[in-house]
Amino acid sequence: MEQVLVTGGTGFVASHCILQLLQQGYQVKTTIRTPDKKDKVLEMLRTGGITNFQDIQFVVADLTADSNWSLAVADCKYVLHVASPIFLRVPKDPNEMIRPAVDGTLRVLKAARDAGVKRVVMTSNFGAVGYSHKDPTTLITEQDYTDPNEKGLSAYNRSKVMAEQAAWQFIRQQGNGLEFCTVNPMGIFGPSLGPDLSSGFELLRNIMTGAMKAIPNMVLGIVDVRDVADLHIRAMTSSQANGERFLALAGGTMSLLQMAHFIKEKMPAVGAKISTRPLADWKIKLAALLGNQKAKAVAPMLGINRNASNQKAMTVLGWHPRSNETAVLAAAESLVKYGAIQ
């Protein structure tokens, strides 16, 4: 039985990766930041239908420290590096977010190389690919990179592009034959395996609770978390994936307004509070200038070209993602299931 390390086992994507790996017969190790997180991971796996836990091991390791990474990668053929450093607030200095992301990635790659791991699959994101492409007629592909100095780029997206660039540089210069590829998802929705909901759910929750009194003109590329996990495993095992990047999106885009109308129609029991009134771009930009924090967070997202291609993952890896609507509906149902929507 081949063994796989999945970093950051409590995370939204990581929990689905672990679930699918166990379902496919792999032995799994996962890192958690503190010992008490083990029960949380086991509970999520129970939710996913796992009843036998003999094929999963836990290692306490943090991306910001060296300890236990050699133990984590020992005897593993593959590593899915999914974890990202956690920040409860947006730092004033972007380097507070960027340094741990870059250093944490290099920590994992060095440990994997030294342990003789065959391949590392890194979870990057669309922020590392397409945020410098403003022309909506341009189709964004894996060839593209976001300029980390792009005006208005969030610290989080800067951390992702710089961590990915550092990873590719490490593989070229110090990889010693370690195989490497990245998965770059767009907005991740789909079912949660537990009550701690990822940041993508907050946007949906604001729509469903009526906290968003008018809907910004924001367009998203969407992918179901189950398909993101599936793509990681395909990228892990395919001989054609080494040295490649794979954009993960269902195909096409969905605006927040379309999402609001869709949930209102599909979930009438919770749809009464949902606004379908559009909010003009100029109002958001003005509010951002006047210091409104929510507007400041949304303003850079306006006008981003999300016209991206999923053809590479489909043709090279035989990947077939669920629809945007399926992913959004499953996420909305998770919000209700875990009591985030009253």
Side-chain angles (χ1 to χ4, degrees):
M1 288 173 68
E2 293 171 339
Q3 187 156 251
V4 184
L5 171 67
V6 180
T7 64
T10 58
F12 184 38
V13 173
S15 61
H16 279 273
C17 288
I18 296 167
L19 177 65
Q20 290 186 26
L21 286 164
L22 290 172
Q23 287 169 337
Q24 291 179 35
Y26 289 94
Q27 288 188 326
V28 178
K29 281 190 192 178
T30 190
T31 59
I32 46 179
R33 287 196 309 281
T34 52
D36 60 312
K37 303 289 186 192
K38 175 181 175 179
D39 290 339
K40 180 180 171 182
V41 177
L42 294 176
E43 191 52 43
M44 288 194 286
L45 293 174
R46 279 189 200 96
T47 299
I50 300 292
T51 54
N52 182 341
F53 299 106
Q54 67 181 22
D55 291 328
I56 183 165
Q57 297 177 53
F58 294 86
V59 178
V60 177
D62 192 302
L63 289 173
T64 60
D66 288 333
S67 53
N68 285 351
W69 283 104
S70 57
L71 180 67
V73 295
D75 303 318
C76 290
K77 184 173 182 179
Y78 303 109
V79 173
L80 302 185
H81 177 39
V82 188
S84 237
I86 298 293
F87 288 86
L88 300 175
R89 56 173 183 81
V90 177
K92 285 191 171 65
D93 178 1
N95 282 316
E96 284 182 52
M97 194 174 275
I98 292 164
R99 285 298 350 147
V102 172
D103 295 346
T105 296
L106 294 177
R107 218 169 240 120
V108 171
L109 289 174
K110 284 172 187 167
R113 175 198 65 193
D114 295 347
V117 166
K118 176 180 167 69
R119 181 177 298 173
V120 175
V121 182
M122 174 183 171
T123 314
S124 186
N125 74 342
F126 179 70
V129 181
Y131 273 40
S132 295
H133 298 267
K134 301 292 192 275
D135 178 3
T137 61
T138 302
L139 184 68
I140 296 165
T141 71
E142 289 82 358
Q143 299 297 313
D144 296 307
Y145 266 98
T146 297
D147 177 355
N149 300 310
E150 181 72 38
K151 187 174 180 287
L153 192 67
S154 71
Y156 174 75
N157 282 319
R158 278 185 70 192
S159 77
K160 293 303 263 188
V161 68
M162 292 177 78
E164 190 186 329
Q165 286 177 336
W168 286 115
Q169 185 178 3
F170 174 86
I171 292 297
R172 284 193 301 270
Q173 296 177 355
Q174 303 174 55
N176 294 357
L178 175 64
E179 295 182 2
F180 180 74
C181 58
T182 69
V183 172
N184 297 69
M186 293 183 90
I188 306 174
F189 291 87
S192 180
L193 295 174
D196 291 348
L197 302 169
S198 75
S199 56
F201 283 86
E202 191 60 28
L203 186 66
L204 211 52
R205 194 171 80 87
N206 286 339
I207 292 173
M208 291 173 70
T209 58
M212 215 178 265
K213 306 249 181 309
I215 309 294
N217 178 28
M218 257 173 70
V219 174
L220 300 180
I222 289 171
V223 63
D224 192 296
V225 66
R226 293 165 290 190
D227 297 320
V228 177
D230 174 49
L231 186 53
H232 276 76
I233 297 168
R234 288 171 184 268
M236 176 182 96
T237 55
S238 168
S239 60
Q240 294 176 278
N242 181 35
E244 303 292 343
R245 306 167 89 201
F246 296 96
L247 274 167
L249 63 148
T253 57
M254 200 172 186
S255 70
L256 294 192
L257 201 56
Q258 286 172 320
M259 285 165 68
H261 279 290
F262 174 69
I263 298 165
K264 209 173 174 74
E265 178 198 338
K266 293 292 182 185
M267 300 177 70
V270 294
K273 294 178 181 172
I274 296 175
S275 169
T276 52
R277 186 162 60 89
L279 179 60
D281 288 3
W282 69 265
K283 288 186 177 177
I284 297 171
K285 289 173 181 173
L286 179 61
L289 283 173
L290 295 173
N292 181 296
Q293 291 305 311
K294 283 187 177 174
K296 276 185 176 178
V298 171
M301 313 287 281
L302 302 174
I304 294 285
N305 170 21
R306 297 185 191 279
N307 176 26
S309 171
N310 62 3
Q311 284 306 300
K312 184 174 175 181
M314 291 176 72
T315 52
V316 175
L317 300 180
W319 184 63
H320 295 289
R322 293 162 177 82
S323 68
N324 291 326
E325 290 79 6
T326 300
V328 168
L329 189 59
E333 287 168 346
S334 285
L335 282 165
V336 174
K337 175 181 177 181
Y338 291 111
I341 306 290
Q342 299 308 319

